[in-house]
Amino acid sequence: MHLSISLLARRGTRIYTTAYWRRVRRIQHEKIKKSREIREEPLEIPDMPIQTMKDPYAKESPRCFLCEHNIDVNYKNVRLLNQYVSKYTGKVYDTSITHLCINQQKKVEAAIAQSRQAGFMPFLHKDPRFMHDPIIVNISKSKN
């Protein structure tokens, strides 16, 4: 019987083939798998808290105002766009302040840029006509 050296492994006086070692590994793997299945069985203790219950103290994540009210962003809607611009510097507020989703934030920024190019909005400051509008973006409650 002729077997190549790669198939044989010498251990003491016996010669073992790779098929033998595969069988040994498979048996060991099955033993480990059975022991894991035994450990993963849930313990039923009546005094333990219910795991499926939601945390009553968890804060609700802020939802996107534009998505929630299904508002379409348009460069001609200057009154809406001015809510997302700083009244002192004219810069667009960040997502952490506006609480908009990423898609809506990009749409608002693009609409503001287009509105400025079209001449509907000033570049450096907020138009004084819109200073007393209702507040959509609450700057004091930004998520730090």
Side-chain angles (χ1 to χ4, degrees):
M1 179 171 157
H2 178 12
L3 294 172
S4 67
I5 297 175
S6 64
L7 295 176
L8 298 177
R10 190 172 273 294
R11 187 168 196 190
T13 57
R14 292 189 176 181
I15 298 175
Y16 297 101
T17 61
T18 51
Y20 170 80
W21 292 113
R22 284 186 192 142
R23 236 178 309 143
V24 169
R25 275 189 247 126
R26 185 172 37 90
I27 292 169
Q28 289 174 348
H29 181 69
E30 288 173 0
K31 285 181 183 177
I32 292 170
K33 191 175 179 182
K34 285 180 185 176
S35 68
R36 285 183 182 166
E37 288 174 0
I38 291 170
R39 279 186 261 143
E40 289 179 3
E41 290 179 3
L43 298 173
E44 294 184 16
I45 302 172
D47 294 338
M48 295 300 291
I50 300 170
Q51 298 296 327
T52 57
M53 184 175 167
K54 292 181 182 177
D55 184 9
Y57 301 106
K59 294 182 180 179
E60 292 184 17
S61 60
R63 299 173 69 191
C64 175
F65 180 79
L66 299 177
C67 292
E68 187 177 344
H69 296 290
N70 199 16
I71 298 172
D72 186 33
V73 178
N74 191 353
Y75 75 98
K76 296 176 193 171
N77 191 353
V78 180
R79 186 163 285 212
L80 173 71
L81 296 177
N82 267 308
Q83 294 288 323
Y84 299 103
V85 175
S86 171
K87 58 183 165 183
Y88 304 109
T89 61
K91 292 185 178 180
V92 181
Y93 289 129
D94 193 29
T95 318
S96 61
I97 296 172
T98 61
H99 299 296
L100 294 177
C101 61
I102 295 170
N103 293 335
Q104 292 294 340
Q105 181 74 18
K106 287 180 182 178
K107 287 180 184 178
V108 165
E109 288 174 357
I112 289 172
Q114 188 178 5
S115 180
R116 285 177 173 168
Q117 290 296 324
F120 292 123
M121 288 178 64
F123 281 89
L124 298 177
H125 58 83
K126 190 172 181 176
D127 197 347
R129 291 181 293 166
F130 303 119
M131 291 288 190
H132 301 292
D133 282 349
I135 297 172
I136 295 175
V137 179
N138 194 351
I139 302 167
S140 62
K141 291 188 178 181
S142 62
K143 56 179 177 182
N144 291 322

